[in-house]
Amino acid sequence: MKNFTTLKDISNLSELIKEAILLKMNPFEYSEIGKHKTLVMLFFNSSLRTRLSTEKAAKNLGMDVMILNVNDAWNLEFEDGTIMNFDKSEHIKEAAQVISQYADVIAVRAFPTLTDKAKDEGEVILNSFKKYATVPIVNMESATAHPLQALADAITISELTEKKTPKVVLSWAPHPKALPQAVANSFVKMMQDLDVDFTITHPKGYELNSKITKNSPINYNQEDALKDADFVYVKNWSSYNDYGKVLNQDNNWMMTKAKLGNAKFMHCLPVRRNIVVEDAVLDSDQSVVIKQANNRTFAAQVVLKQILEDL
Amino acid sequence: MKNFTTLKDISNLSELIKEAILLKMNPFEYSEIGKHKTLVMLFFNSSLRTRLSTEKAAKNLGMDVMILNVNDAWNLEFEDGTIMNFDKSEHIKEAAQVISQYADVIAVRAFPTLTDKAKDEGEVILNSFKKYATVPIVNMESATAHPLQALADAITISELTEKKTPKVVLSWAPHPKALPQAVANSFVKMMQDLDVDFTITHPKGYELNSKITKNSPINYNQEDALKDADFVYVKNWSSYNDYGKVLNQDNNWMMTKAKLGNAKFMHCLPVRRNIVVEDAVLDSDQSVVIKQANNRTFAAQVVLKQILEDL
Amino acid sequence: MKNFTTLKDISNLSELIKEAILLKMNPFEYSEIGKHKTLVMLFFNSSLRTRLSTEKAAKNLGMDVMILNVNDAWNLEFEDGTIMNFDKSEHIKEAAQVISQYADVIAVRAFPTLTDKAKDEGEVILNSFKKYATVPIVNMESATAHPLQALADAITISELTEKKTPKVVLSWAPHPKALPQAVANSFVKMMQDLDVDFTITHPKGYELNSKITKNSPINYNQEDALKDADFVYVKNWSSYNDYGKVLNQDNNWMMTKAKLGNAKFMHCLPVRRNIVVEDAVLDSDQSVVIKQANNRTFAAQVVLKQILEDL
């Protein structure tokens, strides 16, 4: 693997999932593969799971890890040709080339603005690193995508499904803040690549980018969409069309035990209890969110392993 | 050892102290015991000594260390049943279970509010980790206790005492800010378990929790209390009864060379010079604060070693 | 090597440069030399290159690295005899002695105030660590010096020069903010020790400390100074005489392709494009700033190696 910035970087999904599950059974089997190799993790935004699981994954492979909260340095300029006389001290051209000399792999977390759709869709930060860095780039959640999360989700469904073709529903949930579409986007794409019967349900106005949802059915009736589901992935996102806006906080869209039926409950976390989903769901055996989070380590580990093998 | 959240987790104090002193003589003797084991250190509050000494202790044992300033993630919710529509993004139930999957041991620093006595006494943060985490928890100073410090203090007294039963005095000192009672509480409990002649001295109104001080004598006359002391442990704390208040900044309570007599001077650090204690004390050979701080490494190391042995 | 706080700590510059170049060819040759040795990196200020390259250098030598942003602890007091009743929680006397017990080497970054010339020239922070620490101190840029940068610069010139005695020009550049003189100071001193034909050019009023520039010629005419240069080192600094002031933002002093001639362009980074230097220079083959940044690793590594050998 040369980079892992989008799900398109996966050449064989089912093999990758199998390999991740093998790593989970024996996390230290390849603890020499990363010897004298350094992962630099760059955070433009907050992180808990992604930070700890990616660091852990790298160390399981014997890598050294260096972490930089970009706030501990200074603001970077991403536009070409600017006269840098304001608040940006360094251009990404220099930063990416320089960090590449200290790293064998660079992982980047950079959330969207949610105010500048063109900039977000252009994935300016992630793509600038990809353009100027001279080492592989791993996406730790970018403006429009969270492929490591989606890979962990696919591993989780593969491990837990009792059917060849389970029914999977992505169900929007209310949230007080405007959140990115990244997790939902990557989950949709991943479901399109997996052998599942997939449906999306959300209030009108919350349509994701239609280039992503393509042929995936959208059902505005949550109850109907959830019928006979095997896995229900609940997630809030802000409006894509009315970009970055919170149009609806209707708590009828909250996931409840009653609505869930016999399905397994999935969420990427962090999750706001009794806003996105009621306690009764999270505290039941039907919730697999903790297992999902555990698979973040092995999603990152299989990606880093494949990148290290191709260095 | 299953956890180290309070001094009650110590089963045999004198053995533990002996083992710590042996580790100090040969810090890398067990450098394989922590191989492929990860310590996650979570900081809700500032740290210098605790952070560096605990990280060092873990690495001396060959552990991997991952550090998260919780501020680099987001606010956690600790109450049950709340509707999380304000400033908390994740519930401790999820956070603790998730982090447990990336860690073999979790160490937590979480200071008191000093405004909500019930919450502080309930040790909400520490106990929530203990309740929901599935790996051992180490207390790096909680609302009411600092057992790693007390263990380092006990090691220091054991190493330096020239008598079988030295006289030890805990002497309150003034301070411009409201500080926790945690260090004092744990020191008092530790002295009750050690073979020492122990006295507490402080101005009226600064009584610690009587369930902790129990039978330990309190003398409001500092001069009298200090008489013939072998070790004087100086520390400020805010009022327990008038909870979290600074009632007194009387610099007559500052420790001086004259008051100290021939005793050794102890303090957990950081210490404000010429407020808590005069320069002449800290700069003299009677001060053992640097040795105390060194023993923080071996207190943490012996605790982590015993936890690793019981995993 | 006992410390690396100034360039005076280098006993044999040409040997040091040769050894750094050998390390660059085989970075892991001495990966056992730092086993069970800990570098503590203390940041009073922002960092990107210095932080990552020094951490990398230490790990290349097999050292453990612990990083503390001093802001994650508390303010330190550096004056003697003060009554610490304001915003400083710990005195450097304690802090430096304590950290020395957790570290085999301490690296410190502490920028100048640019308002208090006496304090800055006294190198209060760096020298306090040197005075009170009991382990070697490495300067990661202090109030008046950046010797690791200057060493990387010397390595770069040594690697790239095609002449025995190349002409090197230090050329001041405009900048919107008041920057330290540290990089310029150390570069000047380094050039005085290297076999180069060295000239300094800057607007009147930007004279560096004359004790440092000594016999190095200063030419106020940039065009004249740059003539036939082999290496042009561009850098902004604030006024030394009118201390810390920005006297001039004349963009005629910006480095351009036309002015550069056939010289190689050097800068320590971060650099503001089209303020300090135009894009056409940085994006050309004449720019060696990325190579310079790479040499930061090997400058730090050779210094740490020599320190470890003398422990």
Side-chain angles (χ1 to χ4, degrees):
Chain A
M1 198 181 283
K2 295 300 173 198
N3 290 282
F4 188 71
T5 57
T6 81
L7 292 174
K8 287 181 191 158
D9 292 315
I10 298 175
S11 57
N12 186 326
L13 177 61
S14 64
E15 284 303 312
L16 195 70
I17 291 172
K18 271 184 211 159
E19 196 177 345
I21 293 171
L22 287 172
L23 284 172
K24 189 175 177 175
M25 294 190 297
N26 196 353
F28 302 111
E29 186 177 353
Y30 298 91
S31 64
E32 293 296 316
I33 205 178
K35 195 182 176 192
H36 291 161
K37 301 295 177 194
T38 298
L39 173 68
V40 169
M41 296 170 63
L42 298 177
F43 290 95
F44 289 83
N45 301 95
S46 296
S47 179
L48 188 149
R49 252 161 303 282
T50 296
R51 178 174 167 141
L52 294 174
S53 64
T54 307
E55 182 176 0
K56 172 86 164 155
K59 288 180 171 172
N60 283 355
L61 296 168
M63 299 185 84
D64 285 320
V65 178
M66 308 201 293
I67 299 179
L68 184 69
N69 294 333
V70 182
N71 283 341
D72 286 344
W74 35 74
N75 289 328
L76 298 180
E77 173 67 63
F78 290 90
E79 298 211 16
D80 272 356
T82 47
I83 298 173
M84 290 170 57
N85 58 348
F86 294 110
D87 62 332
K88 315 287 177 62
S89 297
E90 180 156 11
H91 199 282
I92 181 65
K93 284 190 191 182
E94 276 72 55
Q97 289 182 79
V98 166
I99 297 169
S100 297
Q101 300 179 123
Y102 310 144
D104 297 283
V105 183
I106 298 174
V108 179
R109 164 163 282 203
F111 289 171
T113 63
L114 290 183
T115 54
D116 184 337
K117 193 174 189 168
K119 196 174 172 183
D120 292 347
E121 300 239 284
E123 289 282 12
V124 174
I125 297 181
L126 187 72
N127 284 340
S128 297
F129 274 100
K130 201 171 160 186
K131 183 171 179 185
Y132 296 115
T134 54
V135 299
I137 299 296
V138 172
N139 182 343
M140 296 196 296
E141 187 171 348
S142 65
T144 70
H146 197 351
L148 281 177
Q149 179 65 51
L151 179 54
D153 298 338
I155 295 167
T156 308
I157 291 172
S158 300
E159 285 182 316
L160 298 177
T161 186
E162 292 161 5
K163 294 180 186 170
K164 191 185 173 309
T165 308
K167 179 175 175 184
V168 177
V169 181
L170 171 62
S171 184
W172 181 91
H175 196 284
K177 288 172 65 183
L179 297 189
Q181 296 97 28
V183 167
N185 287 344
S186 292
F187 186 71
V188 169
K189 283 185 181 175
M190 181 54 91
M191 289 308 104
Q192 291 167 349
D193 289 343
L194 219 59
D195 186 7
V196 298
D197 168 15
F198 183 54
T199 297
I200 303 169
T201 182
H202 55 67
K204 287 194 179 174
Y206 275 97
E207 289 75 15
L208 293 163
N209 183 345
S210 60
K211 288 181 197 152
I212 292 172
T213 51
K214 281 183 292 190
N215 301 321
S216 296
I218 296 169
N219 188 338
Y220 298 115
N221 183 324
Q222 190 190 32
E223 192 187 340
D224 192 44
L226 292 172
K227 205 150 62 182
D228 299 325
D230 296 298
F231 294 90
V232 176
Y233 200 104
V234 176
K235 182 75 187 83
N236 169 268
W237 59 87
S238 58
S239 174
Y240 175 75
N241 290 317
D242 195 357
Y243 192 65
K245 292 291 183 304
V246 175
L247 307 177
N248 185 331
Q249 300 199 26
D250 181 358
N251 66 16
N252 283 319
W253 279 86
M254 181 175 77
M255 186 53 50
T256 63
K257 200 95 198 286
K259 287 186 204 173
L260 187 64
N262 295 314
K264 300 209 181 301
F265 172 80
M266 300 182 75
H267 191 283
C268 60
L269 306 180
V271 67
R272 288 172 178 248
R273 287 176 165 252
N274 304 312
I275 295 284
V276 168
V277 53
E278 65 175 9
D279 281 340
V281 171
L282 277 168
D283 295 336
S284 76
D285 289 346
Q286 286 172 255
S287 170
V288 301
V289 298
I290 306 301
K291 289 174 183 169
Q292 256 179 290
N294 192 28
N295 283 332
R296 291 295 308 278
T297 301
F298 306 102
Q301 194 169 336
V302 76
V303 162
L304 289 171
K305 177 173 174 283
Q306 291 208 351
I307 287 173
L308 288 169
E309 287 167 346
D310 275 5
L311 280 185
Chain B
M1 198 181 283
K2 295 301 173 198
N3 289 281
F4 188 70
T5 57
T6 80
L7 292 174
K8 287 181 190 159
D9 292 314
I10 297 175
S11 56
N12 186 328
L13 178 60
S14 65
E15 284 303 313
L16 195 70
I17 292 171
K18 272 184 211 156
E19 196 176 346
I21 293 170
L22 287 172
L23 284 172
K24 189 175 177 177
M25 294 191 297
N26 196 354
F28 302 112
E29 187 177 352
Y30 298 92
S31 65
E32 292 296 316
I33 205 178
K35 195 184 175 190
H36 292 161
K37 302 294 178 195
T38 298
L39 173 67
V40 170
M41 295 169 63
L42 298 176
F43 289 95
F44 289 82
N45 302 94
S46 296
S47 180
L48 188 149
R49 253 161 302 282
T50 296
R51 178 174 168 142
L52 294 174
S53 64
T54 308
E55 183 176 359
K56 173 85 164 156
K59 288 179 171 172
N60 283 354
L61 296 167
M63 298 185 84
D64 285 321
V65 178
M66 307 201 294
I67 299 180
L68 184 69
N69 293 333
V70 181
N71 283 342
D72 287 344
W74 34 74
N75 289 327
L76 298 180
E77 173 67 62
F78 290 90
E79 297 211 16
D80 272 357
T82 47
I83 297 173
M84 290 170 57
N85 59 347
F86 294 109
D87 62 333
K88 314 288 176 61
S89 297
E90 180 156 11
H91 199 282
I92 181 65
K93 283 190 190 183
E94 276 72 56
Q97 289 182 78
V98 166
I99 297 169
S100 296
Q101 300 180 122
Y102 309 144
D104 298 282
V105 183
I106 298 173
V108 180
R109 164 162 281 203
F111 289 171
T113 63
L114 290 184
T115 54
D116 184 336
K117 193 174 189 168
K119 196 174 172 183
D120 292 348
E121 301 239 283
E123 289 282 12
V124 174
I125 297 182
L126 186 73
N127 284 339
S128 296
F129 274 99
K130 201 171 159 185
K131 183 171 179 184
Y132 296 114
T134 54
V135 299
I137 299 297
V138 171
N139 182 343
M140 296 195 296
E141 188 171 348
S142 65
T144 69
H146 197 351
L148 281 177
Q149 178 66 51
L151 179 54
D153 299 337
I155 295 167
T156 308
I157 292 172
S158 300
E159 286 181 314
L160 299 177
T161 186
E162 293 161 4
K163 294 181 186 169
K164 190 185 173 310
T165 307
K167 179 175 174 184
V168 178
V169 181
L170 172 62
S171 183
W172 181 90
H175 196 283
K177 288 173 64 183
L179 297 189
Q181 296 97 28
V183 167
N185 287 342
S186 291
F187 186 71
V188 169
K189 284 186 183 176
M190 181 54 90
M191 290 308 104
Q192 291 166 349
D193 290 343
L194 219 59
D195 187 7
V196 298
D197 168 15
F198 183 54
T199 297
I200 303 169
T201 180
H202 55 68
K204 287 194 180 175
Y206 275 97
E207 291 74 16
L208 294 163
N209 182 345
S210 60
K211 287 181 197 152
I212 292 172
T213 51
K214 282 184 290 190
N215 301 321
S216 295
I218 296 169
N219 188 337
Y220 298 114
N221 183 324
Q222 191 190 32
E223 191 185 342
D224 192 43
L226 292 171
K227 204 149 57 180
D228 299 324
D230 296 296
F231 294 90
V232 176
Y233 200 104
V234 175
K235 181 76 187 82
N236 169 268
W237 58 87
S238 58
S239 175
Y240 175 75
N241 290 317
D242 195 357
Y243 192 66
K245 292 291 184 302
V246 176
L247 307 177
N248 185 331
Q249 300 199 25
D250 181 358
N251 66 16
N252 283 319
W253 279 87
M254 180 174 77
M255 186 54 50
T256 62
K257 200 93 198 289
K259 288 187 203 172
L260 187 62
N262 295 316
K264 300 209 180 301
F265 171 79
M266 299 181 74
H267 191 283
C268 59
L269 306 181
V271 67
R272 287 171 179 249
R273 287 175 166 253
N274 303 313
I275 295 285
V276 167
V277 52
E278 66 176 8
D279 281 340
V281 172
L282 278 168
D283 296 335
S284 77
D285 289 345
Q286 287 173 255
S287 170
V288 301
V289 298
I290 305 301
K291 290 175 183 169
Q292 255 180 292
N294 193 28
N295 283 332
R296 291 295 309 278
T297 301
F298 306 103
Q301 194 168 336
V302 75
V303 162
L304 289 170
K305 177 172 174 283
Q306 291 209 350
I307 287 174
L308 287 170
E309 287 168 345
D310 275 4
L311 280 186
Chain C
M1 198 180 282
K2 295 301 173 197
N3 289 281
F4 188 70
T5 58
T6 81
L7 292 173
K8 287 181 192 159
D9 292 315
I10 298 174
S11 57
N12 185 328
L13 177 60
S14 65
E15 284 302 313
L16 195 69
I17 292 171
K18 272 184 210 157
E19 195 177 347
I21 293 171
L22 287 172
L23 284 172
K24 189 175 177 176
M25 294 191 296
N26 196 354
F28 302 111
E29 187 177 352
Y30 299 90
S31 64
E32 293 296 316
I33 205 178
K35 196 183 174 191
H36 291 161
K37 301 294 178 195
T38 298
L39 173 68
V40 170
M41 295 169 63
L42 297 177
F43 290 95
F44 288 82
N45 302 95
S46 296
S47 180
L48 188 149
R49 253 160 303 281
T50 296
R51 178 174 167 142
L52 294 174
S53 64
T54 308
E55 182 176 359
K56 173 86 165 155
K59 288 180 171 172
N60 283 355
L61 296 168
M63 298 185 86
D64 285 320
V65 178
M66 308 201 294
I67 300 178
L68 184 69
N69 293 332
V70 181
N71 282 342
D72 287 343
W74 35 73
N75 290 329
L76 298 180
E77 173 66 64
F78 290 89
E79 298 210 16
D80 272 356
T82 47
I83 298 173
M84 290 169 58
N85 59 347
F86 295 109
D87 61 334
K88 314 288 177 61
S89 297
E90 180 155 10
H91 199 282
I92 181 64
K93 284 189 191 183
E94 277 72 56
Q97 290 183 78
V98 166
I99 297 169
S100 296
Q101 300 179 122
Y102 310 144
D104 297 283
V105 183
I106 298 173
V108 180
R109 164 163 281 203
F111 289 172
T113 61
L114 291 183
T115 54
D116 185 336
K117 193 174 189 169
K119 196 175 172 184
D120 293 347
E121 300 239 283
E123 289 283 12
V124 174
I125 297 183
L126 186 73
N127 284 340
S128 296
F129 274 99
K130 201 171 159 185
K131 183 171 179 185
Y132 297 115
T134 53
V135 300
I137 299 297
V138 172
N139 182 342
M140 295 196 297
E141 188 171 346
S142 65
T144 70
H146 197 352
L148 281 177
Q149 179 66 51
L151 179 55
D153 299 337
I155 296 167
T156 308
I157 291 172
S158 300
E159 285 181 315
L160 299 176
T161 187
E162 293 162 4
K163 294 180 186 170
K164 191 184 172 312
T165 307
K167 179 174 175 185
V168 178
V169 181
L170 171 62
S171 184
W172 181 90
H175 197 283
K177 289 172 63 183
L179 297 190
Q181 296 98 28
V183 167
N185 287 343
S186 292
F187 186 71
V188 169
K189 284 187 183 176
M190 181 56 89
M191 290 308 103
Q192 291 167 349
D193 289 343
L194 219 60
D195 186 7
V196 298
D197 168 16
F198 183 55
T199 297
I200 303 169
T201 180
H202 55 69
K204 287 194 181 177
Y206 275 97
E207 291 74 15
L208 293 163
N209 183 344
S210 60
K211 288 181 198 152
I212 292 172
T213 51
K214 282 183 292 192
N215 301 321
S216 295
I218 296 169
N219 187 338
Y220 298 116
N221 182 323
Q222 190 190 32
E223 191 186 341
D224 191 44
L226 292 171
K227 206 153 55 183
D228 299 324
D230 296 297
F231 294 90
V232 176
Y233 200 104
V234 176
K235 182 75 187 84
N236 169 268
W237 60 87
S238 58
S239 174
Y240 175 76
N241 290 317
D242 195 356
Y243 193 67
K245 292 290 184 303
V246 175
L247 308 177
N248 185 331
Q249 300 198 26
D250 181 358
N251 66 16
N252 283 318
W253 279 86
M254 180 174 76
M255 186 53 50
T256 62
K257 200 95 198 288
K259 288 187 202 171
L260 187 63
N262 295 314
K264 300 210 182 300
F265 171 80
M266 299 182 75
H267 190 284
C268 59
L269 305 181
V271 68
R272 287 172 178 248
R273 286 176 166 253
N274 303 312
I275 295 286
V276 168
V277 53
E278 65 175 7
D279 281 340
V281 172
L282 277 168
D283 296 336
S284 77
D285 289 346
Q286 287 172 253
S287 170
V288 301
V289 297
I290 307 301
K291 289 175 184 169
Q292 255 180 290
N294 192 29
N295 283 333
R296 292 295 309 277
T297 301
F298 307 102
Q301 193 168 335
V302 76
V303 162
L304 289 170
K305 177 174 174 283
Q306 290 208 351
I307 287 174
L308 288 169
E309 287 168 345
D310 275 4
L311 280 185

